[in-house]
Amino acid sequence: SRRCGLAAGRSYSGGGAYPSVSLTCPLPGVPKAVFAAAEGRERFETRVTVLENGLRVASQKKFGQFCTVGLLINSGSRHEAKYLSGISHFLEKLAFSSTAQFGSKDEILLTLEKHGGICDCQASRDTIMYAVSADTKGLDTVVNLLADVALQPRLSDEEIEMTRTAIRFELEDLNMRPDPEPLLTEMIHAAAYRDNTVGLNRFCPVENTDKIDREVLHSYLRNYYTPDRMVLAGVGIEHEQLVECARKHLLGVEPVWGSGQTKDVDRSVAQYTGGIVKVEKDMSDVSLGPTPIPELTHIMIGLESCSFLEEDFIPFAVLNMMMGGGGSFSAGGPGKGMFTRLYLNVLNRHHWMYNATSYHHSYEDTGLLCIHASADPKQVREMVEIITREFILMAGAVGEVELERAKTQLKSMLMMNLESRPVIFEDVGRQVLATNTRKLPHELCALISQVKSADIKRVVTKMLHKKPAVAALGDLTDLPTYEHIQTALSSKDGRLPRMYRLFR
């Protein structure tokens, strides 16, 4: 037709004449376009291979020149019941020190530098993670280094002594920080799971720093650093290449502590106890300077939720996002949670509240949903009353707009975090360590979308039947008794006058 043809010409300043072709028609004489097709779902799936010794190798493809590879081990402070508390803390600080192949930490860092690499080790309650990010061309070197660091550490007397000094300094710093959140997290776990599993201290007690030596560490490593308790996870590399490196460096390797029979492996299931842990502390001088933080009393109240392996984990995650909260000086808008309950009902209504934040800690066999609040010591009683009220109101009606906002925000946060390669690595490693498989982000988003207000009410009702766990730090003169807090949380009707009477 004339409209899509060459009938008309147009003159341009360059002197050339070009045909007038509609933007909705293909250009005449140009080969037909071939568009890239979306690849199959298998491109996005996490691949898992189990080696002959029980070691699991998991990989996730991701475009880019760099990769993140690491060893995750089913070991941590929850497994220290039969050992001195603080071994995992020691192992975290001793990581990437001298090994059978590398004479010092500097030698390890120089080796990684050739591939643009960095390394890190993190010990949590249930996992110890050795990780390296480096150029994909250095994969063999990286896996060799990880195997040597985990299975062949020298643990020299000098390194152990330096670690003792570092831990003592960290413990002092922990008690002097203006932000008490790490301390309160320890306290709430100790209150919720008294003397068992995830309630055991994640940090090494001062009195144990001189007692932990190479022999104690080897005894622990012999039981927990076994191939069947390990996952080698990698993001941004080919699966076959990672499996080949794992066979080369992690199959048939004799650890430095020997391969004796494991006999003291703790397989205890977490026992939720509830209770209170109080620490009277002068908080008036924790933040001196031109703009000091005022003296505050910090309270954390928690209730048992569920394991991350249970179906209720997703409704609890949505509930935690719905509660949200933050500090009184948090900046941001709707995307930062300014419409969450703890902002709307607590921080916006009570100007004297310095902080109100919801946290959800979840493990393989239990979980803990808690709210951290801070205020002037004279207003502790009222602060506790407000937080207990928020727990009771969780069991009430959930608005459709409120629920949809929380679900959208949770999905948004999930997808945004999984843009980061190290976060993908940790997600792959932890899921495979716990379940031998991995739920992909779009599967998790589908589960989040399915959460209804009835699910929130159901999980909250179940949670409110448990005894509370309470952690309190600072000037506790006006703190209500544990019995008062427990009675207030067990209120079935949630009517405020009854609660007011309990606290007065």
Side-chain angles (χ1 to χ4, degrees), residues 61-74:
K61 285 187 177 181
K62 185 173 173 63
F63 176 78
Q65 181 185 349
F66 283 79
C67 63
T68 300
V69 183
L71 269 174
L72 290 94
I73 303 165
N74 185 7

Side-chain angles (χ1 to χ4, degrees), residues 186-244:
E186 289 304 304
M187 291 164 64
I188 196 80
H189 278 82
Y193 306 92
R194 193 168 293 277
D195 298 328
N196 78 89
T197 57
V198 292
L200 300 177
N201 201 337
R202 192 167 66 86
F203 299 104
C204 180
V206 178
E207 62 271 15
N208 285 358
T209 51
D210 288 325
K211 298 175 186 174
I212 295 175
D213 55 20
R214 190 189 300 109
E215 187 180 337
V216 172
L217 293 169
H218 278 186
S219 171
Y220 179 86
L221 292 166
R222 189 175 295 112
N223 285 300
Y224 290 101
Y225 276 41
T226 55
D228 59 301
R229 300 177 69 87
M230 294 183 182
V231 169
L232 177 68
V235 175
I237 34 83
E238 292 295 329
H239 185 71
E240 290 75 16
Q241 193 182 357
L242 185 62
V243 171
E244 185 185 333

Side-chain angles (χ1 to χ4, degrees), residues 178-189 191 275-281 283 295-303 326 342 346 352-359 361 369-389 391 468-482 484-486 489 503:
D179 176 24
E181 200 269 324
L183 263 182
L184 281 166
T185 301
E186 289 304 304
M187 291 164 64
I188 196 80
H189 278 82
I276 186 166
V277 172
K278 299 189 288 186
V279 175
E280 287 271 1
K281 187 178 177 186
M283 305 289 282
E295 180 184 355
L296 299 170
T297 293
H298 303 271
I299 304 294
M300 198 177 270
I301 299 175
L303 291 164
L342 292 179
V346 178
W352 46 268
M353 288 277 279
Y354 195 84
N355 177 39
T357 312
S358 175
Y359 296 96
H361 306 279
L369 183 82
C370 43
I371 296 176
H372 168 206
S374 309
D376 186 275
K378 294 184 180 66
Q379 290 169 305
V380 169
R381 189 171 292 270
E382 195 175 349
M383 174 172 67
V384 172
E385 176 188 302
I386 288 164
I387 298 307
T388 52
R389 179 187 65 191
F391 270 110
V470 181
L473 178 69
D475 181 349
L476 308 179
T477 308
D478 292 334
L479 179 72
T481 66
Y482 177 76
H484 279 164
I485 298 171
Q486 186 177 357
L489 280 170
F503 286 102

Side-chain angles (χ1 to χ4, degrees), residues 392-428:
I392 291 170
L393 292 177
M394 286 181 197
V398 178
E400 200 58 41
V401 173
E402 177 186 37
L403 181 63
E404 286 305 313
R405 181 184 284 121
K407 292 197 290 187
T408 303
Q409 196 171 339
L410 181 59
K411 287 187 278 188
S412 170
M413 189 181 73
L414 173 71
M415 299 307 292
M416 186 173 65
N417 286 342
L418 289 173
E419 288 289 311
S420 165
R421 194 181 57 251
V423 175
I424 299 172
F425 155 76
E426 188 171 346
D427 183 49
V428 169

